[in-house]
Amino acid sequence: MEKYGRDIRALLLDLDGVVLDTEGQYSAFWGWVGREKFPHVPDFARRIKGQTLVRIKADYFASEEDLAWIDRELDTFERQMDYPYVPGAEELLRECVERGIPTALVTSSDQAKMRKVHERHPELAGLFARIFTAEDFQRSKPAPDCYIGAARSLGLNPAECIVVEDSPNGLRAARDSGARVVGITTTCPAEQIRPLADVLVESLDEVSAFLR
């Protein structure tokens, strides 16, 4: 844990599965999409986890009819879903604010999704120094652009930041950015994400300890 201490200057977090406990709901939704539209693609929900909607559309929804369908279905789903915090997330973010540790939210979700999140959690704007969405970067996770850009926006090198991620695509993005990578086992089994993380945790309480 020592290497995560004194030289760490910022905390960068993914949204779904790290700050908000929504990955189970999304897995169910994209699993249904896979069964409806891509029965020939094994583990469709797992394959697209952590990618931007733009990337998913480009890879899997070619026709205007299909694009309109996924937009309609996803909008309906996101309006009805719950957005609870991952246990310890709000406490961790408030601790960072109190201690003057900059935080950035780095999500593959788009601005339309984030408007729904802000409706449920207006306090989020005050808990992050910066919030980045899919529109802020040209390449989707697993490309490292989002975490490199987030660190630079805070005036830092990625090596001065901890990234907390839960999905393989997100962890690859964090690793390739040069950041210190914490994998949290909220949505994927430990054996799946252990090779992609410097440190594995089961809860955000453990992340607080790295910052002290």
Side-chain angles (χ1 to χ4, degrees):
M1 291 187 187
E2 178 61 27
K3 71 173 183 174
Y4 284 86
R6 298 173 185 174
D7 58 340
I8 290 298
R9 299 177 60 191
L11 184 64
L12 313 179
L13 301 103
D14 180 40
L15 177 66
D16 297 295
V18 175
V19 175
L20 297 182
D21 189 10
T22 49
E23 276 297 345
Q25 297 174 78
Y26 275 116
S27 293
F29 173 79
W30 289 110
W32 170 76
V33 170
R35 292 189 296 275
E36 288 288 313
K37 293 291 187 179
F38 310 105
H40 58 289
V41 178
D43 298 323
F44 179 77
R46 181 184 60 81
R47 285 171 179 263
I48 58 90
K49 189 184 293 290
Q51 295 181 350
T52 63
L53 184 59
V54 170
R55 170 76 177 272
I56 297 167
K57 287 179 177 179
D59 288 348
Y60 295 100
F61 296 89
S63 71
E64 291 298 322
E65 180 181 355
D66 285 342
L67 287 169
W69 180 84
I70 192 59
D71 281 341
R72 183 173 61 252
E73 295 295 335
L74 185 58
D75 181 66
T76 299
F77 169 74
E78 289 181 338
R79 289 183 184 280
Q80 296 174 348
M81 68 184 287
D82 296 323
Y83 294 94
Y85 279 110
V86 167
E90 187 175 9
E91 293 81 359
L92 173 62
L93 292 170
R94 293 194 184 280
E95 178 184 351
C96 288
V97 171
E98 291 171 4
R99 296 177 55 201
I101 300 171
T103 58
L105 182 67
V106 186
T107 177
S108 295
S109 299
D110 59 18
Q111 292 177 3
K113 150 73 175 297
M114 285 306 299
R115 284 193 289 271
K116 301 182 183 77
V117 171
H118 284 303
E119 288 175 3
R120 308 287 184 89
H121 293 289
E123 72 280 359
L124 273 181
L127 296 177
F128 287 101
R130 297 291 305 272
I131 293 178
F132 296 94
T133 63
E135 291 86 353
D136 291 310
F137 305 101
Q138 288 190 336
R139 296 195 300 170
S140 172
K141 300 173 185 179
D145 307 33
C146 56
Y147 285 116
I148 294 172
R152 288 176 178 171
S153 77
L154 298 174
L156 301 173
N157 185 291
E160 299 176 287
C161 304
I162 287 178
V163 172
V164 185
E165 271 280 3
D166 65 309
S167 72
N169 282 323
L171 288 161
R172 290 187 182 96
R175 180 194 61 190
D176 291 347
S177 76
R180 322 288 182 89
V181 185
V182 174
I184 187 167
T185 58
T186 47
T187 60
C188 293
E191 58 269 21
Q192 182 180 354
I193 64 173
R194 181 177 285 110
L196 301 171
D198 297 317
V199 175
L200 213 60
V201 300
E202 295 181 355
S203 77
L204 291 173
D205 293 336
E206 297 173 72
V207 177
S208 295
F210 298 154
L211 301 172
R212 298 192 179 109

